[in-house]
Amino acid sequence: MKYWQLLLVKPLAICICLGTATASADTSLVALIPSNAAACVSTPDVASLDRHWRQTQFYRLLQDGHMQEFMAGIRPTASTEGSVPALGLAWRDLVRLGSGQACWSLSPVEDDRVGALLLVRTNETDRWESIVKLLDSRYAADPATRKSIAIDGVEGVAYHFQAKNTAESAEWIYLRHEGVLCVASCEELAQHFVRAVRSNGAGGLSAEAAYQAVERNSHDAKADALTHLRWYLDPFGYEAMMRRNENGAEDPTIQLWKSQGLEIILAIGGHMSFSYQNHDLIHHYAVFRPGALTKAARMLSFVPLANVRLPDWIPA
């Protein structure tokens, strides 16, 4: 399995930094994400997301014995021969460690690689030694070489994994800096995180016009406090990042789409609320398409929802 394929389901490298100060709780973690991120998912409160998700019928369906048996047959294993182990932190770990915001993103990094970055605002009561001990226990089934590291003066630890029967390997670096746990797939992203914290998030993803347009147009002021999940996607940036061939060249399909004017779609994203007002899911989303439609893109329609008559069977 290729490196980028593994990154889709489990980031291969992870960084967690330890700092002495506390980052401002008002700073959005999206501001600490690289401005060229092609995909981003965030939540204002990990515990609230977990609690409301567990109240949905979707969650209850997944707890059914027959459904779990079905899912077990199609779910990728966390660690198999020929691959490196998964993230190392289960969802339950993030819920326990988190004290609010969390954010995950994919970005292009040097050498045409895909970089993953996970940020979680943590409880200050969790000692760094306890987090390292937790990681050691999670990786017990996949022995790794652990060493101490420093990223721009921030101390942390790195785990190096070697896949069985293949040449594939990964180094996962863990740091906690100013109250934020950083999980990154390469040193490049770990350095970006540390520097972004020190600059108070200047120049991050949240400052990009495309991100702001999606955020602004998918935002429902009345449900702002009930937003449990936000997502953002640069469709062509994501496809270009994931579809590069072995030589790093852009996929011909993407070149074809661009030649037909479809790259005018710069971003897609939205806000999701779970278990709200008798609905399992409420989803506000927006497509950012500045400029005029040309060529094959003219077949697309971007009529505002307010101008569309919904079928009677859709609840008002």
Side-chain angles (χ1 to χ4, degrees):
M1 185 177 288
K2 296 179 181 178
Y3 182 84
W4 61 263
Q5 290 174 315
L6 285 168
L7 272 176
L8 273 175
V9 292
K10 50 187 180 184
L12 294 182
I14 299 168
C15 312
I16 304 176
C17 317
L18 176 62
T20 55
T22 301
S24 170
D26 295 329
T27 302
S28 169
L29 294 186
V30 179
L32 308 181
I33 296 296
S35 60
N36 66 342
C40 180
V41 178
S42 64
T43 176
D45 191 321
V46 174
S48 179
L49 169 61
D50 182 69
R51 183 171 62 256
H52 282 82
W53 164 246
R54 289 174 179 272
Q55 295 172 6
T56 66
Q57 294 295 329
F58 295 119
Y59 173 80
R60 293 167 186 164
L61 175 63
L62 292 174
Q63 303 313 301
D64 179 81
H66 296 293
M67 178 59 72
Q68 289 190 343
E69 183 178 351
F70 170 76
M71 294 296 293
I74 63 174
R75 183 185 298 121
T77 57
S79 178
T80 60
E81 290 193 9
S83 67
V84 296
L87 181 64
L89 293 172
W91 174 251
R92 65 181 182 278
D93 298 325
L94 298 182
V95 173
R96 186 182 69 79
L97 293 172
S99 65
Q101 300 177 59
C103 183
W104 175 82
S105 69
L106 290 177
S107 308
V109 294
E110 61 182 7
D111 299 327
D112 293 320
R113 292 179 295 125
V114 180
L117 185 64
L118 171 66
L119 305 178
V120 182
R121 197 172 294 280
T122 59
N123 297 303
E124 288 302 311
T125 54
D126 285 306
R127 295 176 56 84
W128 174 246
E129 294 79 5
S130 300
I131 295 177
V132 174
K133 185 176 180 180
L134 172 64
L135 293 168
D136 284 340
S137 68
R138 293 288 182 260
Y139 295 143
D142 299 282
T145 303
R146 175 161 63 88
K147 64 179 181 181
S148 299
I149 61 162
I151 302 293
D152 283 1
V154 179
E155 297 181 355
V157 296
Y159 292 81
H160 181 84
F161 297 87
Q162 181 63 56
K164 300 176 182 178
N165 303 326
T166 74
E168 189 172 18
S169 64
E171 185 169 80
W172 305 21
I173 308 166
Y174 293 78
L175 314 155
R176 185 170 65 178
H177 187 39
E178 298 200 1
V180 178
L181 185 66
C182 167
V183 180
S185 63
C186 60
E187 187 172 325
E188 178 182 340
L189 288 178
Q191 289 177 336
H192 171 87
F193 162 72
V194 174
R195 294 168 185 173
V197 170
R198 291 171 178 170
S199 67
N200 204 27
L205 177 61
S206 60
E208 290 297 299
Y211 181 89
Q212 292 179 351
V214 167
E215 176 73 7
R216 180 174 60 255
N217 288 287
S218 64
H219 176 260
D220 185 329
K222 293 180 296 184
D224 180 50
L226 298 171
T227 294
H228 301 125
L229 202 65
R230 295 184 176 95
W231 66 277
Y232 167 85
L233 180 70
D234 168 5
F236 278 90
Y238 179 83
E239 288 296 317
M241 179 176 65
M242 306 304 292
R243 284 175 173 250
R244 289 192 179 277
N245 62 28
E246 299 295 339
N247 299 320
E250 190 172 73
D251 187 277
T253 302
I254 299 177
Q255 296 177 7
L256 176 61
W257 290 344
K258 289 182 175 180
S259 71
Q260 294 302 310
L262 295 175
E263 65 177 334
I264 196 172
I265 302 175
L266 298 187
I268 308 170
H271 290 230
M272 303 174 71
S273 298
F274 296 102
S275 186
Y276 173 63
Q277 292 186 345
N278 298 320
H279 298 293
D280 264 12
L281 170 66
I282 296 179
H283 185 201
H284 299 274
Y285 70 95
V287 178
F288 181 47
R289 187 242 353 133
L293 296 174
T294 62
K295 301 180 181 179
R298 289 179 297 175
M299 74 176 78
L300 303 176
S301 175
F302 296 93
V303 179
L305 188 60
N307 299 330
V308 176
R309 176 177 172 79
L310 299 178
D312 295 335
W313 55 267
I314 297 181

